Amino acid sequence: MSKKRRWLEEEYARATERFPEREYPFRTLSDIEIDPLYTEDDLEDFDPGRDLGYPGSYPYTRGVQASMYRGKLWTMRMFAGMGTAEQTNERFRKLLEAGQTGLSTAFDLPTLMGYDSDHPFAQGEVGRCGVAVASLADMEVLFDGIDPSEVTTSMTINSPANAIWAMYLAMAQRKGVSIESLGGTIQNDILKEFIAQKEYIFPPAPSVKLVIDTFEWGPRNVPRWNFISVSGYHIREAGSTAVQELAFTLADGIHYVRKALERGLDIDEFAPRISFFFNVHNDFFEEIAKLRAARRIWARQMREVYGAKNPRSWMLRTHAQTAGVSLTAQQPLVNVARVAIQALAGVLGGTNSLHTDAYDEALALPSEEAATLALRTQQVIAYETGVANTADPLAGSYFLESLTDEMERQTLRYFEQIDALGGVEAAIEEGYFAREIGDAAFEQQREIDSGERVVVGVNKYASPYPEVPLEPIDPQVEKIQAQRLAKVRSERDPQRAARALEALREAAVRGENTMPAFLEAAHAYCTLGEQMDVLREVYGVYEEPVLI
Amino acid sequence: MERRAIRVLIAKPGLDGHDRGAKVIARALRDAGMEVIYTGLRQTSEMIISAAIQEDVEAIGLSVLSGAHMHYFREIAAGLREQGAQDILLFGGGIVPDQDLPELEELGVGRLFTPGSSTGDVVNYLQETLRPETATT
């Protein structure tokens, strides 16, 4: 019998006879049972040389850079976007003045779904959950007075990612900046849209084809750009557990790698520019373990399974964001505490960049005051707490290492299940992810409703709370957008625009790489809706089966 | 005399794809013995109104997290009145700022369930509103 088991059966049993355990679910949000104590007995199979290594070296469990945050702090990248391009441009400039080090763009739903702001489906949605960008003209306003060679820009765009990226590149070119030097990220992860966020336009196969076009074109033309951010964030927000988030995200990443290899691309050319995006939720140690496990699993897969030779191909670089779904509309100021603790988990997990949610996000888009406080939270962690002084400070913890190992084991089991279904695309069409996530979400809600899981200020310690001030969206947004679109359509060279759309159609029909055609369409001021309509005709549109 | 089970339509209007809440509520209402029709994503106001009338529901729950809720509540409330179907209870959930509550009340919209609401609250609300004689609490 191990020493730990003996201790549990004797000492601990005696102690809890006198002072029983609290009524509380002693398991992580992923249902991993947590022992009262972890000791060296839990790390029997653990080999620090093999499983940890050093920061900046394989398998990168301890972080992707040798110097980690002593060299460069994580990028404080706050997601922003609302109303018109003018309004968001103003917010961008204020965030840069406040010390933010990278931009991150939220688009409105018409843009995310590939409709122009004056399309009937866009009614009521323009500028509501992000900024409207329907053509290069909007992109030019959005980055007015901002030098694209001085900042890195992240854009949360998926189905129309190729077109929006091309507009950004065209905007930079018109400012005389060479795209070869541009740094930034497009999310461009369509698989998690089918799995979780549901902002898809075309069916899975052509959607993935468009993504692989960027794998091919990106490294050769915009070598410093992350042409994908494989995202677990939305999978988690849709209700998955931490383990499902980890497993499904890495499975998505591997699916893209397989598709790029099928096209004959060299893994060491594209893999270094694959980036990731994870959620950081409430279960502190589980979130830290998740980020560490993610780096180790990815490195092992890329090196051992897919034969990548370039160490940069093995590195999982990731953005993280605190869990929007954990924010409550009741007692919204309590969210400040949640966000701070989640952000700390992200940093202890070694994230490369971080967005912290504003406390008012369960009520509306964040006000400027709330967004600034969220940024200040990161600055307190970076400069006041000392946690950035040493790399991976929790390594070697009996508990954390055993949790990291467990998450890796469970993730590999999910990989087997997904492969048995025929891979990610087949599993999407079969409804596998919808069922897995739907069941997990329902179970979490049941635990909260029953009071088994405590949500402070909601099902325990509820009390009246004051209203918080919210920021209004420019009520003129639809009108301003419609006017700018009308101007774009009347002032551009109509023949150049028509030729560009035709070239896009031909590239799509022939299965060629679409990126050159998207870049020309951006320069020709073709609107987003026009470009997506061309592809809707060629590829068709996707509708998911309705499941509860 | 026993009354039939409450029939309710859970609807996702517009472009918003965030369906976690809608699906969790749909399952919880069904588990509470109600007959639930879920529209799926990307429904126009007209589609929602005609589904509600065809399915003969007593309540429509709109789930909107995109900030476009006022647009859809206005359209659907007006559409129901035009069709003489204003007796259908219109309620909702999602990201709805307090500032919007007075206008929603004027439109005749019932309760709005924001993040942190429990599924039990929604079940009780529908039972108390639609079956006050049998509601337990």
Side-chain angles (χ1 to χ4, degrees):
Chain A
M1 189 184 339
S2 76
K3 281 190 216 155
K4 171 174 164 178
R5 182 133 306 280
R6 185 169 311 128
W7 181 84
L8 284 173
E9 285 176 8
E10 293 169 12
E11 300 282 323
Y12 190 73
R14 244 194 326 272
T16 47
E17 230 165 80
R18 289 188 59 201
F19 305 104
E21 288 184 337
R22 280 178 294 125
E23 289 278 327
Y24 185 80
F26 294 107
R27 47 193 154 76
T28 69
L29 289 173
S30 298
D31 243 357
I32 296 173
E33 287 293 335
I34 301 300
D35 292 348
L37 182 76
Y38 287 80
T39 74
E40 70 264 32
D41 291 334
D42 294 288
L43 296 184
E44 267 182 8
D45 304 324
F46 175 71
D47 175 348
R50 181 196 61 198
D51 299 329
L52 288 185
Y54 278 76
S57 64
Y58 189 83
Y60 302 100
T61 315
R62 308 200 63 181
V64 290
Q65 289 116 1
S67 58
M68 278 311 285
Y69 303 137
R70 282 174 81 109
K72 181 177 162 290
L73 285 166
W74 63 92
T75 305
M76 299 180 192
R77 194 186 291 284
M78 304 295 283
F79 192 37
M82 65 202 305
T84 59
E86 286 85 353
Q87 198 178 2
T88 302
N89 174 262
E90 198 181 315
R91 175 67 69 87
F92 277 177
R93 295 200 205 192
K94 281 186 180 149
L95 284 166
L96 290 171
E97 277 164 29
Q100 173 167 306
T101 48
L103 294 174
S104 177
T105 318
F107 295 100
D108 70 356
L109 270 168
T111 307
L112 294 168
M113 294 301 297
Y115 294 111
D116 288 342
S117 311
D118 54 1
H119 190 283
F121 288 170
Q123 257 188 34
E125 315 249 23
V126 178
R128 291 286 144 186
C129 67
V131 62
V133 173
S135 78
L136 175 58
D138 293 329
M139 196 63 94
E140 287 171 328
V141 173
L142 187 57
F143 288 91
D144 185 38
I146 297 168
D147 181 352
S149 65
E150 295 276 304
V151 292
T152 59
T153 302
S154 168
M155 289 182 280
T156 298
I157 188 77
N158 293 284
S159 226
N162 310 55
I164 293 289
W165 188 27
M167 286 179 198
Y168 184 85
L169 300 176
M171 176 276 297
Q173 285 175 327
R174 291 190 168 223
K175 289 186 177 204
V177 177
S178 151
I179 60 173
E180 244 174 66
S181 64
L182 286 183
T185 305
I186 43 172
Q187 194 164 76
N188 198 25
D189 171 15
I190 199 64
L191 291 172
K192 66 92 175 52
E193 295 299 334
F194 292 108
I195 291 173
Q197 191 171 233
K198 315 289 171 77
E199 285 156 10
Y200 42 70
I201 302 176
F202 320 112
S207 297
V208 170
K209 185 265 175 203
L210 287 172
V211 174
I212 303 305
D213 285 354
T214 68
F215 276 56
E216 183 176 25
W217 190 84
R220 295 172 193 173
N221 295 278
V222 201
R224 292 182 53 222
W225 198 279
N226 303 313
F227 47 77
I228 194 166
S229 173
V230 188
S231 302
Y233 188 83
H234 319 80
I235 294 174
R236 189 66 181 281
E237 291 285 297
S240 84
T241 66
V243 170
Q244 288 169 334
E245 177 196 354
L246 177 63
F248 298 167
T249 308
L250 296 180
D252 287 349
I254 289 167
H255 187 78
Y256 294 122
V257 167
R258 289 177 182 171
K259 289 286 165 187
L261 293 175
E262 277 174 26
R263 196 184 278 198
L265 305 182
D266 171 6
I267 193 167
D268 286 319
E269 192 180 12
F270 65 78
R273 279 291 155 197
I274 298 176
S275 66
F276 287 82
F277 174 24
F278 287 99
N279 199 299
V280 269
H281 210 291
N282 279 334
D283 195 312
F284 191 67
F285 287 103
E286 181 170 59
E287 294 303 301
I288 299 169
K290 180 182 77 190
L291 295 177
R292 299 172 84 248
R295 282 190 297 271
R296 186 160 77 201
I297 299 166
W298 185 251
R300 287 176 170 168
Q301 291 282 322
M302 288 303 103
R303 185 180 183 173
E304 290 163 23
V305 182
Y306 296 94
K309 305 250 177 340
N310 180 352
R312 300 192 65 81
S313 303
W314 308 333
M315 290 179 196
L316 179 145
R317 294 168 300 121
T318 190
H319 177 64
Q321 178 173 337
T322 58
V325 77
S326 74
L327 303 178
T328 62
Q330 297 89 335
Q331 302 184 36
L333 284 172
V334 178
N335 294 324
V336 176
R338 292 190 181 99
V339 167
I341 294 165
Q342 293 168 6
L344 183 61
V347 169
L348 291 172
T351 192
N352 304 97
S353 82
L354 181 63
H355 166 102
T356 29
D357 289 331
Y359 65 81
D360 55 1
E361 284 184 44
L363 301 163
L365 288 188
S367 68
E368 190 180 322
E369 187 216 2
T372 306
L373 177 57
L375 175 61
R376 293 284 179 263
T377 305
Q378 293 197 41
Q379 291 163 339
V380 168
I381 294 172
Y383 297 106
E384 298 186 11
T385 64
V387 297
N389 290 347
T390 191
D392 192 24
L394 298 179
S397 148
Y398 300 131
F399 174 43
L400 186 69
E401 295 301 356
S402 120
L403 197 53
T404 305
D405 289 352
E406 179 60 23
M407 293 186 93
E408 181 173 12
R409 266 194 295 277
Q410 293 198 15
T411 295
L412 296 177
R413 277 207 291 276
Y414 268 117
F415 285 177
E416 284 168 17
Q417 277 184 36
I418 294 166
D419 276 340
L421 290 169
V424 172
E425 282 178 55
I428 287 169
E429 308 226 14
E430 196 256 340
Y432 168 77
F433 297 108
R435 269 197 316 278
E436 284 277 320
I437 296 171
D439 289 349
F442 191 71
E443 175 57 19
Q444 287 163 44
Q445 189 62 43
R446 192 201 57 73
E447 286 187 353
I448 293 168
D449 287 352
S450 69
E452 203 177 318
R453 283 267 175 211
V454 171
V455 183
V456 172
V458 173
N459 64 5
K460 202 167 187 163
Y461 313 115
S463 61
Y465 49 92
E467 260 186 50
V468 297
L470 303 175
E471 188 154 308
I473 288 167
D474 187 344
Q476 297 297 312
V477 52
E478 299 206 1
K479 215 172 88 197
I480 294 171
Q481 271 302 109
Q483 283 166 352
R484 189 154 46 228
L485 268 166
K487 193 160 173 276
V488 161
R489 291 195 192 104
S490 70
E491 288 181 5
R492 68 186 176 189
D493 173 350
Q495 276 156 0
R496 185 178 177 187
R499 274 199 308 274
L501 291 175
E502 196 42 45
L504 178 61
R505 180 191 312 277
E506 277 175 26
V509 168
R510 291 193 192 139
E512 291 164 1
N513 196 311
T514 50
M515 278 311 299
F518 276 117
L519 190 56
E520 169 54 19
H523 278 293
Y525 287 91
C526 297
T527 69
L528 180 65
E530 290 168 341
Q531 299 179 56
M532 292 300 108
D533 279 347
V534 165
L535 297 187
R536 283 186 185 100
E537 280 177 40
V538 178
Y539 295 144
V541 294
Y542 181 74
E543 269 180 53
E544 69 168 10
V546 176
L547 295 167
I548 318 181
Chain B
M1 196 174 84
E2 186 140 325
R3 294 203 54 182
R4 66 179 175 120
I6 293 173
R7 274 173 79 77
V8 53
L9 182 76
I10 297 296
K12 284 290 304 176
L15 300 177
D16 179 25
H18 293 84
D19 58 2
R20 174 182 185 161
K23 286 184 167 181
V24 166
I25 295 294
R27 270 165 90 152
L29 297 180
R30 199 176 56 190
D31 287 359
M34 300 184 195
E35 289 171 14
V36 182
I37 300 111
Y38 171 52
T39 60
L41 297 173
R42 314 247 143 78
Q43 306 293 302
T44 63
S45 299
E46 296 76 48
M47 288 158 86
I48 292 168
I49 294 164
S50 81
I53 292 170
Q54 263 175 28
E55 294 283 352
D56 191 23
V57 299
E58 292 162 84
I60 305 174
L62 287 189
S63 165
V64 193
L65 291 92
S66 65
H69 50 278
M70 294 310 291
H71 175 78
Y72 290 107
F73 276 113
R74 284 184 200 124
E75 260 190 14
I76 292 171
L80 288 173
R81 264 196 313 277
E82 263 168 42
Q83 305 273 328
Q86 62 271 35
D87 56 319
I88 298 178
L89 171 68
L90 184 60
F91 72 105
I95 311 282
V96 181
D98 290 350
Q99 286 93 310
D100 292 338
L101 295 181
E103 189 190 335
L104 288 168
E105 200 177 327
E106 237 167 76
L107 289 170
V109 175
R111 265 190 61 189
L112 279 305
F113 296 90
T114 51
S117 304
S118 85
T119 56
D121 291 345
V122 184
V123 170
N124 289 341
Y125 167 71
L126 290 179
Q127 270 163 353
E128 280 164 21
T129 313
L130 300 170
R131 299 286 185 276
E133 68 288 356
T134 56
T136 48
T137 45

